[in-house]
Every structure is written in structure tokens, then in C-alpha cells.
Amino acid sequence: MTPLQLCKCLADETRLKIVMRVRQHGELCVCDLVDTLGQPQPTVSRHLSQLRECGLLAVRKDAQWAYYRLHEGLPAWAMDVLEALQAPVGKQFPLKPDQRSGCC
Amino acid sequence: MTPLQLCKCLADETRLKIVMRVRQHGELCVCDLVDTLGQPQPTVSRHLSQLRECGLLAVRKDAQWAYYRLHEGLPAWAMDVLEALQAPVGKQFPLKPDQRSGCC
DNA sequence: CCTGTATATTCGGATTTCCGAATTTAATGG
DNA sequence: CCATTAAATTCGGAAATCCGAATATACAGG
């Protein structure tokens, strides 16, 4: 995970939103992301694959659902970047439990 | 300057290097950047224009030279992002005064 | 003026990135 | 089995990005 790779991962609106929201919630399933992002499921899934392959996100699969989280092995500087980016964007999307899609 | 815009600015190897080096030195002229980046002058100039237009860099022109610096009006969270990114990349390019190109 | 140096801009094409549509895989429950 | 739901993948084309080459602009010094 180089700084350039991280920046490229975050240089797309959908991916940036995904990472920020996953960071806020600790763990999110794909259907929650699809609902709140308003983007078609294949699009979200493609971006998730990308974020997984570059080591930014990790998955946990439970039955038919997939739960994404920040990868534990992320270096400290990367976590610092995400924290700094959350300041202006993150606060705007506080997702209360009762606003969840409830799909899973 | 939104987080997405910042990430896009930094999602290119040349631009990332430019910003990190400018941040380290406070101010750098174009010819210094051209020399140390090993990229053709039009390429560097194009990236500098981009970074200027999005508000990341500011210019000071003195005679035939142009000196670039981080824009003073950058929000705190953006400065934090740059600081976090400097940890892994920045330390690798400490440019001592006697390693300057000396062109200006 | 004329030359040389520093920087910026333009233009076309090549490459990369992104997305829509359709399909596939996998797991669950009847 | 079959239908349904969640998620991933594939494919082709559209759109955005990047770069090389050439040119333009601006300034300094003779």
C-alpha cells in the first residue's frame, strides 16, 4: 500500500464514500452500501473488489452476506489520511441504526 | 477544495511528487522540479497548472522564474492529509541545498 | 532587435478508468 | 429440486485522463 495507490483508491466518488462509511461503521454489508449510495449493485461490487485487492478493505462472509471493514494491516499513515479526510465528508453521513436498510 | 478533488489531484505519481516536494521545501521553481522529476518540462507545467487551478498550489513569479508553494488558504484537514502522506514518501526525497539544480 | 532561457499552452492520439447490461455463483428456504 | 436473494464477474463501449510534440509567451542580456 503506497501513498499513490491509496490516493488512486480514494480518487473516485463512490469509492471515497464507501471507505468513509465503512470507516464510520466499522463493518457494513454490501446491500447497505448499495441502498445508501444509490448506485447499482454491480457498480458497488466492482469498487469493493478494487478496494479489497489493493488491501484497503477486508471481507467477512456470513451465509449469503458479505461484510466489509477497513483492513487491519493498514499502516498508521494510511489511517491518518482517512481520519483527516473524514473531517469534512464523514460528518455528513451519520447513519443511525434505524436508517439502515435492514436487508441483513 | 473537496476531499474528492484533493484525492484526484494526488492520484498521479508526478503530481504527488510535486506536492510532497513543494511541501518539504516551502517553495520550488519549475526548473528544479523538472530536473529532479526527470519529466519533460511541458508535462511538469501541465500538472502544475492543474494543481494551481484546483487551489492546491500558488505561484509567485519573479522575472522569468515561477516559484510554487502550497496555497495558504488550504483547509486544515487538507494539510493533515498531506502531512500523513509525507510520512512514507517524503522522507525519501530530502533535497539538500547543494543538490539543487542551481538553474535559478 | 536578437538570442537564449524559463514557462505555459495547444492539439491529437493513446491509454486508462468507469459504467451499463447481462450473466454467474452461492446460499437460503419452501 | 426450484425460486429467491446477495454478491461477484464479464464484456463492450463511453468517457476521462495522460502524454509527446510542437508552438507560444515572457523576460533578460548583449
Side-chain angles (χ1 to χ4, degrees):
Chain A
M1 169 69 58
T2 71
L4 181 59
Q5 287 175 320
L6 177 60
C7 291
K8 285 189 176 180
C9 281
L10 303 177
D12 174 271
E13 186 170 7
T14 302
R15 285 196 300 273
L16 182 60
K17 285 181 179 175
I18 289 176
V19 172
M20 292 296 101
R21 291 180 190 197
V22 165
R23 180 180 182 274
Q24 276 192 310
H25 290 85
E27 209 176 45
L28 279 180
C29 76
V30 180
C31 47
D32 265 328
L33 288 167
V34 170
D35 286 347
T36 62
L37 292 171
Q39 298 258 73
Q41 177 265 324
T43 295
V44 174
S45 189
R46 246 189 327 242
H47 285 302
L48 284 171
S49 296
Q50 223 175 309
L51 293 169
R52 192 168 11 99
E53 278 162 22
C54 79
L56 203 51
L57 298 185
V59 212
R60 175 179 66 90
K61 302 210 176 183
D62 183 13
Q64 66 227 255
W65 298 289
Y67 297 90
Y68 282 82
R69 63 183 186 279
L70 290 187
H71 194 289
E72 293 78 19
L74 275 185
W77 61 264
M79 296 294 286
D80 291 344
V81 168
L82 298 184
E83 184 181 353
L85 287 174
Q86 194 107 48
V89 287
K91 315 283 187 183
Q92 305 163 11
F93 312 116
L95 205 58
K96 290 174 188 155
D98 59 321
Q99 291 175 323
R100 295 289 190 81
S101 67
C103 71
C104 45
Chain B
M1 168 71 58
T2 71
L4 181 59
Q5 287 174 322
L6 177 61
C7 290
K8 284 188 177 181
C9 280
L10 303 177
D12 174 272
E13 185 170 7
T14 301
R15 285 196 301 273
L16 182 60
K17 285 182 180 174
I18 288 175
V19 171
M20 293 295 103
R21 291 182 190 194
V22 165
R23 180 178 181 274
Q24 277 192 310
H25 290 87
E27 210 176 44
L28 278 180
C29 76
V30 180
C31 47
D32 264 327
L33 288 168
V34 170
D35 285 348
T36 61
L37 292 172
Q39 298 258 81
Q41 177 267 324
T43 294
V44 174
S45 189
R46 247 186 330 237
H47 285 302
L48 284 171
S49 297
Q50 224 175 309
L51 294 169
R52 193 169 9 101
E53 279 162 21
C54 81
L56 204 52
L57 297 186
V59 213
R60 174 179 65 90
K61 302 211 176 182
D62 184 13
Q64 65 228 255
W65 298 287
Y67 297 90
Y68 282 83
R69 63 183 186 278
L70 289 188
H71 195 291
E72 293 79 20
L74 276 185
W77 61 264
M79 296 294 286
D80 290 344
V81 168
L82 298 186
E83 184 182 352
L85 287 174
Q86 192 107 49
V89 286
K91 315 283 187 184
Q92 305 164 12
F93 313 115
L95 204 58
K96 288 175 189 155
D98 60 320
Q99 293 176 320
R100 296 287 190 82
S101 67
C103 71
C104 46

